[in-house]
Amino acid sequence: MKLATWNVNSIRQREGHVRRWLEQVQPDILVLQEIKCETAAFPALGFQALGYRAEAVGQKAYNGVAVLSRVPFEVTHRALPGLPEDDAQARYIELAADGVTVIGIYLPNGNSGGDAGYAYKLSWMDLLRRRAAALLDVDAPLAILGDFNVCPTDADLAPGALPPTDALVRPETRAKFRAMLWLGLTDAVRALQPTGPAWTFWDYQAAAWPRDQGLRIDHALLSPTLAERLTAASPDRRERGEDQPSDHVPVVVELA
DNA sequence: ATGACTTACTGCGTAAGA
């Protein structure tokens, strides 16, 4: 089983990139973030032609997540359980496919909106941990993939790429990410590549890509039985060198 | 010294991303 995650920074700008990538890499399931369109505007037909069924959770202008799958699946949640009913931010999709629970997330960045914006990020992380704990309690094979907007350690950002006050690296952010690992989840990329850069994002500004000043913020977390099946996990750096790329690249995980 | 990013919106600049 091949699972992947990709923050595409607008699916309407990147439909062609995603289609080409699907044909090259042939993942079973790809979760997308920052589709930046309303649910009905998601270009599902273009992916259906390649054998992928699409389900999107969108909103106007910002955020938005989706799943593309060539294996049968059922969407089980379209919002993070525990969030207030009136929370309209499209950041979560959960599905069941081939006996596996797959969660796609676009975790709040936390740098906008002042103290309230950062508090929202932290509370979102608390609720995600609770959801993961509930699924692990019933022994569900679980994969959480997406844009976590967290550099887990200092090895996960190029030196100086962010100030220490940035919401992606602040101690409270990292503590809540670690709390998810302590549930028994495995960071798939770090399980196979414990040290060294494995960037998944390069800013459009300041020549970040040519200077290779990246961040590792897109992750795949696996429950124990899935982690035991892990054979490969890495970012696909090639995508950042394409014309008009997203600022994020896909992360691909393979399970035996 | 200069210009130095990309997207969406109803905008003709602003907000957000990270």
Side-chain angles (χ1 to χ4, degrees):
Chain A
M1 191 176 210
K2 189 182 281 193
L3 304 176
T5 176
W6 194 1
N7 179 322
V8 291
N9 186 20
S10 169
I11 192 61
R12 288 177 290 184
Q13 294 296 322
R14 232 70 68 190
E15 179 183 351
H17 296 68
V18 176
R19 286 171 53 118
R20 173 183 42 70
W21 189 82
L22 285 173
E23 294 194 292
Q24 286 172 357
V25 177
Q26 297 274 311
D28 294 296
I29 299 174
L30 170 63
V31 292
L32 301 172
Q33 301 87 37
E34 282 206 272
I35 63 171
K36 291 188 169 180
C37 67
E38 295 185 277
T39 303
F42 189 86
L45 291 179
F47 302 114
Q48 197 173 301
L50 302 178
Y52 287 85
R53 179 160 83 85
E55 284 285 344
V57 178
Q59 69 180 86
K60 193 173 183 175
Y62 300 117
N63 307 325
V65 293
V67 57
L68 300 175
S69 175
R70 63 177 187 180
V71 300
F73 70 97
E74 176 190 3
V75 174
T76 51
H77 294 273
R78 301 175 68 87
L80 175 57
L83 279 179
E85 285 290 325
D86 62 350
D87 187 319
Q89 297 195 31
R91 297 182 175 277
Y92 186 93
I93 190 166
E94 182 177 317
L95 52 133
D98 201 18
V100 177
T101 299
V102 176
I103 295 176
I105 64 161
Y106 177 46
L107 206 148
N109 175 297
N111 280 308
S112 65
D115 291 344
Y118 187 58
Y120 180 72
K121 176 178 192 158
L122 295 180
S123 64
W124 211 97
M125 294 184 81
D126 282 336
L127 289 172
L128 181 62
R129 189 196 71 247
R130 277 183 219 175
R131 180 62 185 155
L135 290 166
L136 292 169
D137 279 349
V138 298
D139 223 15
L142 171 65
I144 305 175
L145 301 95
D147 178 355
F148 283 68
N149 273 316
V150 177
C151 299
T153 74
D154 284 344
D156 296 311
L157 72 163
L162 296 174
T165 52
D166 192 282
L168 279 63
V169 301
R170 281 173 63 166
E172 303 95 316
T173 304
R174 287 177 166 172
K176 293 200 183 291
F177 185 85
R178 284 195 301 273
M180 299 208 51
L181 300 181
W182 291 338
L183 295 174
L185 292 168
T186 294
D187 178 336
V189 168
R190 278 296 182 232
L192 296 179
Q193 187 196 319
T195 61
W199 313 141
T200 67
F201 167 94
W202 295 258
D203 200 293
Y204 289 124
Q205 300 189 65
W209 168 244
R211 297 189 314 150
D212 198 23
Q213 297 285 293
L215 312 176
R216 191 176 79 93
I217 55 178
D218 300 271
H219 307 299
L221 304 185
L222 304 176
S223 65
T225 56
L226 292 188
E228 287 164 3
R229 295 165 52 189
L230 180 64
T231 59
S234 60
D236 188 349
R237 286 175 60 98
R238 297 171 307 164
E239 277 303 316
R240 192 62 175 80
E242 293 289 334
D243 287 339
Q244 305 253 244
S246 170
D247 41 5
H248 297 248
V249 296
V251 175
V252 184
V253 171
E254 293 183 59
L255 306 174

